[in-house]
Amino acid sequence: MTTLRHNAKAVYVITFREFKKFVRERSRLLGTMARPILWLFVVGGGLSRMVQPEGGVSYLQFIFPGMIGMTILFASIFSAISIVWDREFGFLKEILVAPISRFSVVFGKAVAGTCISLVQVLIMVVFIPVLGIHITLAQFFLLIFSAGMLAFSLTSFGILVASRMSSYEGFNIIMNFIVMPMFFLSGAMYPVGKLPPVLKELTHFNPLTYGVDALKNVLLSGAAGTSMGPEYPLVFDLSIIAAFMAVAVVLANWSFRKAG
Amino acid sequence: MSNIKVENLTKKFEAATAVDGISFSVGPGEVFGFLGPNGAGKSTTINILCTLLSATSGRAEVAGFDCASSPDEVRQAIGIIFQDPTLDNGLTAYENLLFHAYLYDLDRVTARRRIAEVLALVDLTARKDDLVRKFSGGMKRRLEIARGLLHYPKVLFMDEPTLGLDPQSRNMIWEFIRTLKADTGITIFMTTHYLEEAESCDRVAIIDLGKVIAIGSPAELKAGLRGDTIRLVAKDNDALAAEVRERFGMDAKVSEGAVTLTVERGEEFLPALIKTIRAEITSVNLTKPSLNDVFLALTGKSIRDEEADPNNVMRAMARSSKKRGH
């Protein structure tokens, strides 16, 4: 049996590798940062002219938690999907024949995805004062905590999907049938309460809904009760994310073990 | 005491039996070659020994540990160089090695010392901070060998280590293998379908259709042929074979558009044969035995034929496009 310390080392080095590559690939870093900024200021900036502020929250402020959710969603899923790249280019074999447990591999990938997501969230935090949102230090930590939970669960979910993919061709399917619907049906762009009944029903099954709602709880607490504010209490959001995280981690492990 | 022990190992896939009840053992410090055409079961065997695949039945033991019940111990004790590259092209040579060192639980100081050591061994010290993406095929393979040695394995597995490399890189890799064997006494298990490579091994197992059909040193295997191979092409090969059988009482086989027979002192027999035979002979070829003849004698086909196999061409194309694409 390998020791816990040895496996912790493996988790560290798997995370270290992803980080190195993330920092090295400038285009990826720029791309992941450009997307939410584009949405926030171009889409948000345009729509904010048509949408009336409610509860003291403008539309631009309203979609900010959603943009953080989007950043986490993309960063987490992209990071997890790198397993498919690793398989395609053989590097996964180097990891699989190493004397470490399969759990460490999955856990390492999940930690890496979480860290990369959080770095991007920290960059987004710069916009909080720009958008005229005021948060306390406690709220800041709550924001990072919620973001971390969401990132960890989404990366695990991504690993579950990636371990089922044998080639990179499935990537578009994942983007079009999982990632984009998750984003649009999460309350990131519009209040869940104002959606047509069928779509509203669907948002209940989307884990990202609770992630975005948790972020709204932290960032838009002043608008609670209005349609611009959070739908559920923070504790409820975090409980659902925790449950989703548990299921995703277990299934990702099971699936990865089975696949390779 | 043997470093690899395989008993009655069988691996069945849904449609086919890839490995069919093979047994062999490899001693410490031996360079052991697994020779056979593509699809013979070489990679399947290596994958079982490396704990990447589980056997359907039978036992495999590496470095004293059972591959099925103690995979982690086996993994810590072995180094592997796979057929296809398994490096991270987005990391530098040094980072690839550092990653490996941590996966194999080396501490920081030991890792640093050994990375310098293996980089020097494969002559890549000057390139250690370059991205692997910029490396040639030969350099990548050398780096993989360096990585495989980093945790001082007892057994080094090499799956077709020189496949697709130019002759110069191939020679360089064989030099490493000989140096390694002399310096460290490591056991090396390699698969190959290059006959010249198999000739350089201490012992060779010839595998075909999932079965080990011969095992021994190249000299022993060739001695088993008891003679030289004569290859004759006639207008009517079947008639020639029949005539040789009748007149000389020899076992003449017709395959691949030629008649082959095995005789001792072929250079003396050949003139006598040509003088007496009536069939019209168009081409004569006399060869001293090679491992290909051993394979030919045992299976009636040549290992080299497999290289033109369309599947291999596809594989080779996939490999080169992968290289280009990355």
Side-chain angles (χ1 to χ4, degrees):
Chain A
M1 275 307 287
T2 49
T3 62
L4 187 66
R5 189 188 47 82
H6 180 175
N7 279 298
K9 221 167 168 175
V11 170
Y12 162 74
V13 81
I14 288 170
T15 309
F16 172 78
R17 165 183 176 240
E18 303 271 331
F19 236 90
K20 260 261 143 76
K21 296 184 74 173
F22 174 71
V23 175
R24 199 162 279 161
E25 288 171 44
R26 298 268 157 72
S27 61
R28 185 176 154 201
L29 183 65
L30 282 174
T32 47
M33 287 325 298
R35 190 184 300 108
I37 292 170
L38 207 69
W39 278 84
L40 187 61
F41 291 105
V42 179
V43 180
L47 284 173
S48 64
R49 304 270 166 150
M50 297 158 60
V51 183
Q52 288 303 312
E54 246 179 85
V57 171
S58 71
Y59 184 70
L60 210 56
Q61 291 171 330
F62 165 76
I63 61 167
F64 183 62
M67 292 308 109
I68 294 184
M70 173 200 236
T71 306
I72 296 169
L73 175 68
F74 277 77
S76 303
I77 299 286
F78 268 107
S79 180
I81 297 280
S82 69
I83 287 185
V84 181
W85 277 116
D86 287 347
R87 185 178 288 131
E88 192 100 341
F89 292 104
F91 193 74
L92 191 63
K93 263 191 170 173
E94 151 80 352
I95 299 174
L96 291 181
V97 292
I100 54 167
S101 70
R102 292 285 184 271
F103 180 76
S104 303
V105 179
V106 173
F107 193 70
K109 281 275 178 190
V111 170
T114 307
C115 291
I116 288 171
S117 295
L118 285 181
V119 169
Q120 298 184 39
V121 169
L122 282 174
I123 297 173
M124 299 266 314
V125 163
V126 173
F127 292 109
I128 294 180
V130 176
L131 292 170
I133 299 171
H134 302 285
I135 57 167
T136 63
L137 192 63
Q139 279 174 316
F140 170 77
F141 285 116
L142 202 53
L143 172 74
I144 298 303
F145 178 75
S146 308
M149 269 180 79
L150 182 63
F152 195 87
S153 61
L154 287 173
T155 314
S156 304
F157 174 68
I159 294 167
L160 169 66
V161 176
S163 62
R164 295 265 143 200
M165 276 166 69
S166 55
S167 81
Y168 213 67
E169 275 130 45
F171 180 72
N172 280 328
I173 300 177
I174 291 180
M175 281 308 289
N176 292 326
F177 291 93
I178 298 180
V179 175
M180 292 318 279
M182 266 176 96
F183 170 61
F184 286 121
L185 291 173
S186 67
M189 296 294 294
Y190 13 73
V192 173
K194 289 193 173 167
L195 284 173
V198 179
L199 293 182
K200 192 178 172 180
E201 205 49 52
L202 284 174
T203 61
H204 293 152
F205 298 99
N206 181 1
L208 190 62
T209 304
Y210 305 97
V212 170
D213 202 63
L215 298 170
K216 284 181 187 168
N217 263 310
V218 178
L219 293 165
L220 308 175
S221 53
T226 71
S227 62
M228 291 294 213
E231 294 275 317
Y232 314 105
L234 182 61
V235 177
F236 178 76
D237 289 330
L238 292 181
S239 308
I240 299 273
I241 299 170
F244 171 60
M245 184 160 77
V247 173
V249 167
V250 169
L251 286 181
N253 259 296
W254 168 78
S255 179
F256 185 75
R257 208 177 292 260
K258 233 179 121 192
Chain B
M1 171 62 196
S2 53
N3 264 349
I4 303 174
K5 210 160 107 195
V6 171
E7 279 168 16
N8 231 341
L9 195 71
T10 299
K11 178 66 186 180
K12 290 190 172 109
F13 292 109
E14 274 165 41
T17 304
V19 174
D20 193 359
I22 62 172
S23 301
F24 61 87
S25 62
V26 182
E30 227 183 331
V31 178
F32 188 82
F34 225 41
L35 176 70
N38 283 316
K42 296 183 305 244
S43 290
T44 305
T45 307
I46 230 174
N47 281 340
I48 294 171
L49 293 175
C50 299
T51 74
L52 275 181
L53 266 180
S54 57
T56 310
S57 65
R59 262 173 62 83
E61 216 177 76
V62 174
F65 299 107
D66 190 286
C67 293
S69 62
S70 317
D72 283 335
E73 283 81 355
V74 171
R75 287 168 181 189
Q76 187 75 45
I78 61 175
I80 310 152
I81 289 103
F82 289 106
Q83 210 174 85
D84 297 312
T86 60
L87 295 164
D88 187 334
N89 290 314
L91 295 181
T92 65
Y94 187 88
E95 287 162 356
N96 265 288
L97 295 173
L98 192 69
F99 185 85
H100 186 89
Y102 275 63
L103 285 190
Y104 286 77
D105 202 17
L106 301 183
D107 63 74
R108 201 180 294 260
V109 178
T110 313
R112 212 169 288 168
R113 179 170 51 77
R114 289 202 196 165
I115 289 173
E117 189 181 302
V118 294
L119 278 171
L121 177 73
V122 298
D123 206 13
L124 283 174
T125 309
R127 304 293 301 269
K128 72 182 167 70
D129 293 323
D130 287 353
L131 289 182
V132 170
R133 187 174 289 138
K134 296 178 187 155
F135 281 18
S136 70
M139 286 164 72
K140 283 185 185 175
R141 200 56 60 91
R142 270 148 58 198
L143 181 59
E144 284 192 280
I145 294 176
R147 189 179 64 179
L149 295 171
L150 199 57
H151 56 285
Y152 289 177
K154 290 196 180 75
V155 183
L156 185 66
F157 289 96
M158 301 173 118
D159 197 0
E160 304 272 1
T162 61
L163 191 74
L165 295 186
D166 57 275
Q168 205 187 342
S169 306
R170 216 185 266 194
N171 286 339
M172 202 161 174
I173 282 172
W174 265 100
E175 246 172 68
F176 292 141
I177 293 175
R178 293 196 189 96
T179 316
L180 261 184
K181 182 182 144 73
D183 292 357
T184 63
I186 193 174
T187 301
I188 297 173
F189 179 100
M190 64 186 302
T191 70
T192 181
H193 67 282
Y194 291 123
L195 296 153
E196 313 82 60
E197 275 183 14
E199 297 273 358
S200 307
C201 295
D202 295 326
R203 276 198 312 143
V204 172
I206 297 180
I207 181 166
D208 186 42
L209 302 172
K211 285 196 164 84
V212 171
I213 51 177
I215 193 162
S217 70
E220 279 165 12
L221 290 173
K222 284 185 282 188
L225 286 177
R226 285 190 304 275
D228 308 336
T229 305
I230 294 175
R231 224 168 147 265
L232 301 163
V233 181
K235 287 238 160 89
D236 183 349
N237 284 333
D238 292 316
L240 172 65
E243 207 182 335
V244 172
R245 279 190 211 109
E246 193 184 316
R247 291 193 179 234
F248 298 95
M250 298 177 80
D251 182 24
K253 285 187 188 125
V254 182
S255 71
E256 299 162 357
V259 178
T260 49
L261 43 129
T262 310
V263 288
E264 277 177 89
R265 286 191 297 281
E267 64 279 5
E268 289 170 23
F269 174 76
L270 202 50
L273 175 99
I274 291 169
K275 214 172 280 174
T276 44
I277 221 95
R278 270 191 316 243
E280 195 180 330
I281 296 171
T282 55
S283 152
V284 176
N285 186 4
L286 169 72
T287 42
K288 294 288 168 186
S290 72
L291 283 175
N292 191 42
D293 299 313
V294 178
F295 192 77
L296 191 64
L298 291 166
T299 66
K301 60 186 185 191
S302 156
I303 292 182
R304 290 182 185 284
D305 298 344
E306 303 286 330
E307 296 199 24
D309 186 289
N311 286 331
N312 297 338
V313 176
M314 293 290 285
R315 269 190 76 84
M317 280 167 64
R319 203 191 315 278
S320 63
S321 73
K322 241 180 225 182
K323 267 181 200 152
R324 273 198 306 275
H326 211 49

